[in-house]
């Protein structure tokens, strides 16, 4: 909406910013002989680590709100010709509660499944779309006023706070030589898919792109063969929707994980149930107030940058002094072995 023809520029700048933060965080992990959360406890004290967990739990809860409404609207647009009832989206929270109880291991299993569900449908959709794509629509780069591009860069921060999503995985992770390159390259492999999709999307809809919502279910609709075989592209969109379900569970899962770590418990059933019921009520109430919430998120870029960029950079302070030696005794919540087992 703001960057117009320079749609790629804000996204590319966001990926560069997130990469710099990710590299800073990986550098810290490469110099530590312990997981990230254990390092915070040893350097600043156990209660500081607990506060860190509670603050990030609050952040992930906040970051989950708008994506939940987006996911609900996308599902309604992709699967229903008429407006469904308000409780149609409720089964999602059963899946979310299950993920929260199972913990990080459920995320690992869903990641394996998501790779299979993503690659073929995405390639198929792009193959149907490139023939109708005007690639000159993305040129010239930096052809739009810098003010609009910068506004687009700021407003998209909630959608590109990727390093914050890495952080829970690093809390119980010991860095191994060569891991940094693999992680950064994997991150940019995902970025390449997003940037290519944006090129195709802008090349098809050109000046109408800012008005087109739920692009995955529309981007291949002009493929000539669909007039004969029907909307086969929607089948591929349904596979991608399954991945969106997993993605929608992610910040909710992280909220429960950090909260449970903060109170030093492995019992997630009650926090998971309370949180998911509360989020269901939230979705039912705010599904008619989407624009108001979107406006809040659009101007919340300082919050997302604080947690996905500033904190990884500030983690360099963990290296200023030699970390205290790990004690053999003490409570288990912040012990490295327990955290490694918990986040395995």
């Amino acid at each position: 909406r703001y960057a117009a023809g320079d749609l790629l520029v804000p996204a590319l700048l966001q990926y560069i910013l997130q990469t710099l933060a990710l590299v800073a965080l990986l550098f810290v992990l490469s110099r530590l002989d312990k997981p990230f959360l254990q390092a915070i406890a040893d350097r600043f004290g156990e209660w500081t680590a607990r506060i860190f967990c509670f603050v990030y739990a609050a952040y992930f809860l906040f970051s989950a709100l708008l994506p939940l409404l987006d996911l609900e609207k996308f599902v309604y647009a992709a699967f229903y010709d008429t407006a469904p009832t308000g409780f149609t989206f409720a089964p999602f929270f059963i899946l979310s509660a299950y993920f929260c109880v199972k913990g990080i291991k459920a995320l690992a299993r869903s990641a394996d499944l998501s790779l299979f569900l993503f690659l073929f449908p995405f390639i198929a959709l792009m193959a149907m779309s490139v023939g109708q794509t005007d690639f000159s629509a993305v040129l010239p780069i930096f052809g739009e006023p810098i003010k609009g591009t910068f506004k687009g860069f700021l407003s998209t921060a909630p959608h590109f706070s990727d390093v914050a999503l890495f952080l829970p995985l690093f809390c119980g992770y010991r860095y191994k030589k060569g891991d940094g390159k693999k992680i950064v390259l994997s991150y940019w492999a995902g970025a390449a898919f997003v940037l290519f999709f944006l090129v195709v999307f802008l090349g098809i809809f050109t000046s109408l792109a800012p008005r087109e919502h739920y692009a995955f279910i529309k981007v291949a609709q002009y493929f000539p063969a669909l007039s004969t075989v029907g909307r086969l592209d929607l089948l591929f969109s349904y596979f991608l929707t399954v991945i969106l379900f997993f993605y929608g569970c992610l910040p909710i899962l992280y909220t429960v994980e950090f909260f449970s770590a903060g109170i030093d418990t492995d019992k997630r059933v009650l926090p998971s149930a309370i949180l998911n019921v509360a989020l269901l009520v939230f979705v039912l109430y705010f599904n008619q107030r989407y624009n108001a919430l979107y406006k809040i998120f659009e101007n919340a870029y300082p919050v997302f940058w604080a947690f996905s960029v500033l904190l990884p950079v500030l983690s360099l302070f963990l290296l200023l002094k030699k970390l205290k030696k790990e004690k053999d005794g003490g409570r288990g919540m912040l012990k490295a072995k327990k955290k490694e087992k918990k986040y395995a």
Side-chain angles (χ1 to χ4, degrees):
R1 183 175 64 181
Y2 298 110
D6 275 345
L7 181 67
L8 280 179
V9 177
L12 185 60
L13 292 176
Q14 293 286 5
Y15 278 121
I16 292 173
L17 178 64
Q18 293 295 312
T19 300
L20 294 175
L22 180 60
V23 169
L25 186 56
L26 289 170
F27 175 76
V28 172
L29 291 171
S30 69
R31 296 297 185 270
L32 298 174
D33 189 27
K34 57 192 69 182
F36 188 72
L37 190 58
Q38 178 69 33
I40 294 176
D42 290 348
R43 176 68 177 84
F44 300 109
E46 181 177 331
W47 278 104
T48 301
R50 291 180 185 274
I51 293 172
F52 173 88
C53 290
F54 290 135
V55 170
Y56 259 89
Y59 163 75
F60 282 118
L61 176 58
F62 174 71
S63 68
L65 300 181
L66 186 65
L68 280 177
L69 294 182
D70 283 331
L71 179 58
E72 181 199 32
K73 291 182 178 297
F74 179 84
V75 168
Y76 290 170
F79 289 87
Y80 298 93
D81 294 327
T82 58
T85 62
F87 283 91
T88 303
F89 190 64
F92 165 80
F93 294 99
I94 300 176
L95 174 66
S96 173
Y98 174 80
F99 265 67
C100 293
V101 171
K102 289 298 183 180
I104 297 294
K105 290 184 179 179
L107 172 62
R109 302 297 179 267
S110 65
D112 295 337
L113 179 61
S114 295
L115 182 62
F116 170 75
L117 290 175
F118 171 77
L119 282 178
F120 178 70
F122 182 85
I123 293 172
L125 286 174
M126 293 302 98
M128 289 189 227
S129 305
V130 291
Q132 290 73 48
T133 302
D134 178 13
F135 288 99
S136 65
V138 301
L139 299 175
I141 298 178
F142 300 108
E144 301 294 332
I146 189 65
K147 182 179 179 180
T149 301
F150 185 69
K151 179 65 175 177
F153 174 61
L154 295 180
S155 64
T156 53
H159 305 286
F160 289 92
S161 55
D162 302 325
V163 177
L165 298 176
F166 280 103
L167 193 60
L169 304 177
F170 292 153
C171 283
Y173 158 78
R174 287 180 182 268
Y175 186 93
K176 296 179 182 178
K177 186 177 180 181
D179 283 356
K181 293 179 181 179
K182 296 176 184 177
I183 293 172
V184 173
L185 288 176
S186 298
Y187 179 65
W188 271 95
F193 282 107
V194 174
L195 294 173
F196 180 73
F197 174 78
L198 290 177
V199 170
V200 173
F201 172 66
L202 183 61
I204 291 176
F205 294 104
T206 60
S207 61
L208 297 178
R211 304 175 189 174
E212 296 295 330
H213 302 285
Y214 319 120
F216 267 122
I217 60 177
K218 296 180 179 180
V219 73
Q221 64 184 348
Y222 300 112
F223 184 56
L226 295 182
S227 59
T228 303
V229 300
R231 293 296 304 274
L232 182 64
D233 60 308
L234 290 179
L235 178 62
F236 301 127
S237 299
Y238 297 157
F239 284 118
L240 295 174
T241 304
V242 175
I243 301 174
L244 289 178
F245 288 152
F246 294 148
Y247 174 75
C249 293
L250 189 59
I252 307 173
L253 166 63
Y254 284 166
T255 300
V256 174
E257 282 290 313
F258 271 117
F259 179 79
S260 300
I263 63 175
D264 193 14
T265 181
D266 290 327
K267 298 178 180 179
R268 305 185 184 95
V269 175
L270 184 60
S272 173
I274 294 174
L275 177 61
N276 280 281
V277 170
L279 289 173
L280 172 59
V281 173
F282 166 83
V283 169
L284 293 175
Y285 179 77
F286 274 92
N287 59 4
Q288 301 299 324
R289 298 166 178 81
Y290 176 86
N291 291 337
L293 186 65
Y294 182 85
K295 194 67 177 179
I296 294 174
F297 270 72
E298 190 177 37
N299 295 298
Y301 57 88
V303 175
F304 289 92
W305 281 348
F307 284 91
S308 67
V309 178
L310 182 61
L311 185 133
V313 173
L314 290 179
S315 67
L316 293 169
F317 283 101
L318 291 171
L319 304 178
L320 290 181
K321 293 182 179 181
K322 185 179 180 180
L323 294 171
K324 299 176 182 179
K325 294 182 179 180
E326 293 182 25
K327 299 179 181 179
D328 292 332
R331 301 192 63 175
M333 187 274 287
L334 298 172
K335 296 299 293 178
K337 291 184 178 179
K338 182 175 179 180
K339 297 305 295 182
E340 287 175 356
K341 182 179 179 181
K342 183 177 180 180
Y343 288 94

